[in-house]
Amino acid sequence: MSEILLEQKERKMRPQWWVLTFSVYVIGLLIGAGLMIGPLFLVVMFPSIGIYLTLLAIPLGVYIFRKVLSALQGRIWVNTHLSEYLLYDDRVEYTVWDPKVREKKEGVVPLSAVTELYYGMHVFHYNYTYRPTKLNEPLQQLELLPMLYLVHHHQFQRQMLAIPFTNVVEANRWLEIVAKEEKPLWLTSVTSLHDYYVGDVPEELSGDIHLERARFDGNIDVAYRPYMAKITQQQAEEAAKQRPPEEQRQRLEEEQKKRRTFPGIGRLAWLVFPLQYAGGLLVVRLATEGKIDPEGIAIPALLIGGCGLLFFLLVKWMKWPQILIYAVVSLISFLFVDTSEVETDPSYVASSLLLGMSVFSPLLLSVIYVIVRSIRSLREGRKHAKDSGVPS
């Protein structure tokens, strides 16, 4: 039996990132559970008309808990079901998992049946969580990594096996063996076709108008870099010709706004602060009437955390300085909640607690920020993938 020459296997998330990711999801589950159970607890302990309003947070808690739990289960599944490709001197054996239906497909591709080779790129999400990274290294949400397509005959049909790589070195090692029989090698501008890399040859691959014949000389990147540079330049020139000057100006202004922190909040997100101020007035009033404990931190934490969650959901472009902006504006707004100067007055105690919690709110807001940022990044990544034809 022949020996394995090369092995290509999907990587697991690095331990430190997996612990961080798992912790964030657990915090999200706790927030969801808190929003479900917290209002019921408050209603039982402090029954009043104002407290009954907190029951409105239960549907939001159920939604957050279900979404976070589903996302966590998906992360665990992806991290434990890894596709694998084994290269022998005469064949390629594969085990490929389909994340959509969570099923695997196994098979063998004889090298003698391979008729064409295509080399391109595939889009990889959060690659920095799977490879060693330096402390000050910039982290990219999306990266283009090598992809090798083996087109072969199987039962009188043209089939495709796509093998994703983590770097060019690994792709070169495979090409040294697979391309040694002078099989036609094509460079393709198609970035990624499917989440599932086994099946019929897609029209996007064989019909790529930018296909270019190449010859492997030990480093495929030497040919691929100028190939993609030429295509990128052509597409940029065509886009510049088709785009009206007014659209170019608007696009430039849009990019400049994204670079700023303050305007990136958007008008709609600012409406959260009047809502938060009204909530502060309600808390102080309930404390004055003796319906809630002026020194209790549950309701102020729920007010600041809930409004913070709504704030980050409504901002146009999320940036971490917005955490400080929210805390500072909250502190200023709570200064006008109560004017009592008697330190033993319940309204004074309750308003002081709101001020104190707003000072330390960045700790809570950082957790909420990370959760919302992850959800929005995932949603934007899927939208971008859908618009560009790339799977999320």
Side-chain angles (χ1 to χ4, degrees), residues 35 42 54 57 272-284 297-311 326 330 333-334 337 350 353-355 357 361 364-365 368:
L35 291 175
L42 293 175
T54 61
V272 173
F273 294 108
L275 177 64
Q276 184 190 59
Y277 177 74
L281 291 176
L282 178 61
V283 170
V284 172
I297 63 173
I299 297 179
L302 182 63
L303 174 63
I304 294 176
C307 290
L309 175 64
L310 182 61
F311 175 77
Y326 178 87
S330 299
S333 63
F334 287 147
V337 168
L353 182 60
L354 289 172
L355 291 174
M357 293 198 64
S361 62
L364 173 62
L365 296 174
I368 298 176

Side-chain angles (χ1 to χ4, degrees), residues 122-177:
H122 71 282
V123 179
F124 199 92
H125 295 259
Y126 308 105
N127 185 41
Y128 60 88
T129 63
Y130 293 86
R131 61 176 175 82
T133 53
K134 298 179 181 179
L135 182 61
N136 296 326
E137 181 179 352
L139 304 180
Q140 299 179 1
Q141 299 295 328
L142 301 175
E143 292 189 50
L144 292 176
L145 300 178
M147 174 80 84
L148 180 62
Y149 304 93
L150 305 182
V151 178
H152 60 96
H153 286 295
H154 178 68
Q155 297 180 352
F156 305 102
Q157 294 182 345
R158 294 178 76 238
Q159 297 287 305
M160 177 199 71
L161 172 64
I163 305 175
F165 297 94
T166 57
N167 55 61
V168 180
V169 175
E170 295 173 352
N172 285 331
R173 293 176 63 191
W174 276 68
L175 282 170
E176 287 178 357
I177 299 175

Side-chain angles (χ1 to χ4, degrees), residues 59-73:
L60 177 61
V62 173
Y63 175 80
I64 293 176
F65 189 88
R66 292 183 59 184
K67 282 290 184 180
V68 174
L69 180 61
S70 176
L72 176 59
Q73 292 174 339

Side-chain angles (χ1 to χ4, degrees), residues 129-245:
T129 63
Y130 293 86
R131 61 176 175 82
T133 53
K134 298 179 181 179
L135 182 61
N136 296 326
E137 181 179 352
L139 304 180
Q140 299 179 1
Q141 299 295 328
L142 301 175
E143 292 189 50
L144 292 176
L145 300 178
M147 174 80 84
L148 180 62
Y149 304 93
L150 305 182
V151 178
H152 60 96
H153 286 295
H154 178 68
Q155 297 180 352
F156 305 102
Q157 294 182 345
R158 294 178 76 238
Q159 297 287 305
M160 177 199 71
L161 172 64
I163 305 175
F165 297 94
T166 57
N167 55 61
V168 180
V169 175
E170 295 173 352
N172 285 331
R173 293 176 63 191
W174 276 68
L175 282 170
E176 287 178 357
I177 299 175
V178 179
K180 65 181 180 181
E181 299 181 5
E182 300 295 331
K183 300 181 185 295
L185 174 61
W186 299 91
L187 302 179
T188 176
S189 61
V190 176
T191 52
S192 188
L193 297 171
H194 305 284
D195 291 333
Y196 193 37
Y197 301 118
V198 179
D200 298 332
V201 181
E203 296 180 359
E204 296 94 329
L205 184 62
S206 57
D208 183 13
I209 62 175
H210 298 293
L211 281 179
E212 183 176 300
R213 187 71 178 268
R215 182 181 180 84
F216 179 69
D217 59 356
N219 187 0
I220 191 63
D221 202 40
V222 174
Y224 192 78
R225 282 184 178 272
Y227 163 75
M228 283 304 299
K230 180 177 64 176
I231 294 178
T232 302
Q233 183 178 359
Q234 292 175 353
Q235 293 176 344
E237 291 175 354
E238 293 176 359
K241 293 178 182 179
Q242 297 176 358
R243 189 182 302 120

Side-chain angles (χ1 to χ4, degrees), residues 92-112:
V92 176
E93 296 182 0
Y94 61 87
T95 301
V96 179
W97 287 93
D98 184 353
K100 293 182 179 179
V101 297
R102 298 190 176 183
E103 296 178 353
K104 70 176 179 179
K105 187 172 184 180
E106 300 175 306
V108 178
V109 178
L111 294 182
S112 59

Side-chain angles (χ1 to χ4, degrees), residues 18 21-22 24-33 36 61-77 102 371 375:
W18 177 245
T21 302
F22 189 82
V24 170
Y25 280 115
V26 169
I27 293 173
L29 291 175
L30 293 176
I31 292 177
M36 290 188 296
V62 173
Y63 175 80
I64 293 176
F65 189 88
R66 292 183 59 184
K67 282 290 184 180
V68 174
L69 180 61
S70 176
L72 176 59
Q73 292 174 339
R75 288 277 189 175
I76 294 175
W77 190 93
R102 298 190 176 183
I371 295 173
I375 295 174

